[in-house]
Amino acid sequence: MERSFEQYFRQNHLPHLWCPGCGNGIAMKSIVQAVEKKGWSQDNTVIVSGIGCSSRASGYMDFDTLHTAHGRAIPFATGIKLANPDLNVIVITGDGDCTAIGGNHFIHGCRRNVDLTVIMFNNNIYGMTGGQASPTTPVGAKATTAPYGSVDRTFDACKLAEAAGATYVARSTAFHVQHMTNMIADGLDNKGFSFIEAMVQCPTAFGRKNRMGSPADMLKWMRDHAVMKAAWDKLPEEKREDKFPTGCLYSSQAIDYDAAYDQVIERAGGADK
Ligand code: SF4
């Protein structure tokens, strides 16, 4: 029986290459459900990804897609949006792709408030490239480059996005599927740079090394450590240890990059774009 969301996937590119129990498929399906919720056409929606396990998603999704270079999805997406502002442009990236290799592109995309929806699949590690520590690997967690535990302090990508100028910032987890879909759909609604951190389990490169049990155990860990924003705000500091907030963490209004650019064109005498 064909299910409604299957029209959004390239059936001839399936099955996917992700490991059994990987959370990337959950986040990918949340994206198409959010697109479906918005009623966006596949012909008017572009998916752009970088490099890594998460970025393989663009190959499976039946939209106009671009699988770009490591860390470079946001500049490619910015070019697409400026060339044709009528397109809906979604970026899929991973924690390493977005906050390490593409870190500068990320902060400047936020600063410019480009009308993009960036979904960062955060599995706390470089999966595809060999299990190295990424900027979101927790302090003390093991990786192939940190066999005795990482000593680097961890980026909070949501705080980084907010500080850099993103106008919609949210976090959800692979355990909270409907919530994740809603957070992405709200990001699609925002006219400006939207950043959604989708926490996903990587049982192979992160879970195994850190003895986190089965994929189901990793999902339960998310269930037990995520705290909705309203409850988080009331949580005393000492009870926040090893927990993290989820939900819409920040939103604001600001002119988006394309509209600002139009104003420049007008000031310059109304030349064609
Ligand atoms: Fe998923 Fe991790 Fe396997 Fe990559 S290495 S496909 S993130 S489980």
Side-chain angles (χ1 to χ4, degrees), residues 17-24 53-54 123 125 127-128 201-206:
L17 55 60
W18 291 321
C19 307
C22 175
N24 288 343
C53 291
S54 59
N123 60 12
I125 200 123
M128 182 175 283
Q201 75 280 8
C202 168
T204 303
F206 186 77

Side-chain angles (χ1 to χ4, degrees), residues 63-112:
F63 296 79
D64 287 327
T65 60
L66 213 59
H67 192 179
T68 70
H70 212 173
R72 310 297 181 236
I74 290 173
F76 275 89
T78 300
I80 293 165
K81 188 69 193 179
L82 291 187
N84 186 352
D86 292 336
L87 294 173
N88 307 307
V89 186
I90 296 172
V91 172
I92 298 177
T93 177
D95 42 295
D97 190 64
C98 183
T99 64
I101 304 98
N104 251 321
H105 296 305
F106 174 45
I107 58 175
H108 292 288
C110 294
R111 177 171 75 92
R112 293 173 173 143

Side-chain angles (χ1 to χ4, degrees), residues 11-79:
Q11 300 299 322
N12 60 344
H13 285 225
L14 297 172
H16 58 70
L17 55 60
W18 291 321
C19 307
C22 175
N24 288 343
I26 297 173
M28 179 173 71
K29 189 176 166 207
S30 274
I31 294 170
V32 300
Q33 285 182 309
V35 168
E36 187 173 51
K37 200 171 162 182
K38 288 281 297 171
W40 282 0
S41 135
Q42 282 158 274
D43 293 332
N44 209 39
T45 303
V46 183
I47 309 282
V48 187
S49 66
I51 293 293
C53 291
S54 59
S55 292
R56 292 301 296 236
S58 62
Y60 305 129
M61 300 171 79
D62 196 5
F63 296 79
D64 287 327
T65 60
L66 213 59
H67 192 179
T68 70
H70 212 173
R72 310 297 181 236
I74 290 173
F76 275 89
T78 300

